[in-house]
Amino acid sequence: MSTENKVKLYGFGAVGQGFHSYLVDNNEEDRLHTVIVKDETKKRKPIKAILETTNPNTAQDKTMHAIVELISSAEEAYGIVYENLEIGKNVISANKKLIANHLAELVKAEKQYNGKFLYEGAVCGSIPIIRILNDLFANDPVRQVSGIFNGSSNYILSKLFNEGISYQEALQQAQDLGFAEADPTSDVGGYDALYKLIIVAAHAFGKIVKPNEVLNIGIQNISLADIEFAKKHHQKIKLIAKSSLEGNKLILSVLPTFVNSENDLFNVENEYNAVLVESDNIGQHFYKGKGAGSLPTGSVVYSDLKAIDAGYSYSYSKLDKQNIQLANEEQINVVLSAETVSNIQNIGVDISNFTPINFDGSQLLGKIALADLKRNKTLIEQKGVSVIVIEDENLINELRNASVKEAVKL
Ligand code: HSE
């Protein structure tokens, strides 16, 4: 059998099955030659392709038109993606961890060996943000790209806020619905959003940085008290990935953030993701769509295959064109809260300039550098301290004034 336009698929989880559905619906199921799975005997929907377990010796396949990598392990995915790019193959991946950690060398291999490497499914599910940034914003200086990049965290925060169910119950639902990663720490710890942010920054600003250079704080420490606080002040809490370029300084972070109803992200709920892009000439764009799930993500993986068929590849037109430096000295306003004030006192952060904003001082408002939070991240997580960015200047002033009145009364 000729393998001219054939595809080898690694992984048949939620996204792999979604991709398969698109092949079937578009009368292209015959293109799927082989599916590599961990366990051939596992009960799964019937497919025409050959089912195989991984060959431990090599992932290279000279005969296929495209390799589609949709497994969860970033380490195993690296071998599959790199070894096939090395022989000039077309490769599609949705593995954000792998891509964020190895982007520079994967782009180099793609160029050097003349394959094509596409990965729209790695970032924000069905929102085609990589192609938008790579193509539409190629000739416009981008100032900021921010948004909700993790469907599972947003799903959990929405459920805590709107339905009052427990964190564990909401996480379980996100897993049952196929949104969360095999290890959900990546979702709730803000790593998944961080990997996506690194990929976005490469296309938006032309700078590739390593994930461990950037601050990411997740939603694990968000408490019922934080949710109540948000409600009282007409805010919601969203896990926001943010990148902005000021001069030649690139500022990147993933942090829980209070947003009010004037913010476009306020009404982005459940597994939906959203991206705000701001550039000099085009101005502001806002994209919203499902950020996780079998068919939404499967659809962009299938689009990548069609793009490869049509000869498309990312231009990376901004890559390494400017002397951009990552800047972590940026100061941000945050609310720190914990069960007791002593937990906050023991995270290694200088809180002498913070203002208590509740009766027992277990909620503090103040300004801090991203670098300080990054340096003390482990202690912050261990002590159960929630860190929530607050951007609403009116609310900041209101909280400060209320605090002063309380102090006067005492
Ligand atoms: N676990 C990811 C999320 C899947 O929840 O957003 C999509 O990348």
Side-chain angles (χ1 to χ4, degrees), residues 96 121-122 124-125 149-153 179-181 187 192 196 273 291-293 297:
K96 47 256 156 166
C124 295
F149 289 7
N150 183 260
S152 304
S153 296
F179 306 149
E181 302 299 309
D187 293 300
D192 179 83
K196 292 166 179 168
N273 279 191
T297 314

Side-chain angles (χ1 to χ4, degrees), residues 205-317:
F205 309 107
K207 175 78 177 169
I208 297 179
V209 302
K210 289 281 182 196
N212 63 9
E213 294 176 287
V214 177
L215 170 69
N216 66 303
I217 291 183
I219 63 163
Q220 307 103 312
N221 291 349
I222 301 290
S223 67
L224 195 57
D226 295 322
I227 301 283
E228 292 307 324
F229 178 88
K231 284 187 175 169
K232 183 174 162 196
H233 297 286
H234 313 291
Q235 310 277 318
K236 284 182 185 169
I237 302 168
K238 299 288 178 190
L239 183 64
I240 296 189
K242 190 169 172 186
S243 57
S244 59
L245 189 64
E246 288 171 19
N248 72 338
K249 287 190 173 166
L250 180 63
I251 302 156
L252 302 176
S253 64
V254 176
L255 287 162
T257 303
F258 289 115
V259 296
N260 64 22
S261 59
E262 282 169 24
N263 191 316
D264 288 320
L265 302 176
F266 188 82
N267 288 319
V268 179
E269 300 283 22
N270 299 319
E271 78 271 31
Y272 276 82
N273 279 191
V275 189
L276 284 153
V277 185
E278 204 176 312
S279 73
D280 277 0
N281 304 314
I282 297 175
Q284 285 190 340
H285 274 200
F286 177 63
Y287 307 93
K288 178 181 166 187
K290 283 191 178 165
S294 178
L295 289 173
T297 314
S299 79
V300 292
V301 175
Y302 179 68
S303 296
D304 274 354
L305 179 63
K306 301 311 285 180
I308 282 178
D309 290 349
Y312 173 88
S313 54
Y314 300 137
S315 60
Y316 297 102
S317 55

Side-chain angles (χ1 to χ4, degrees), residues 317-329:
S317 55
K318 293 181 178 171
L319 201 56
D320 299 329
K321 294 275 158 60
Q322 289 181 67
N323 177 27
I324 293 174
Q325 300 299 324
L326 187 64
N328 276 334
E329 69 269 21

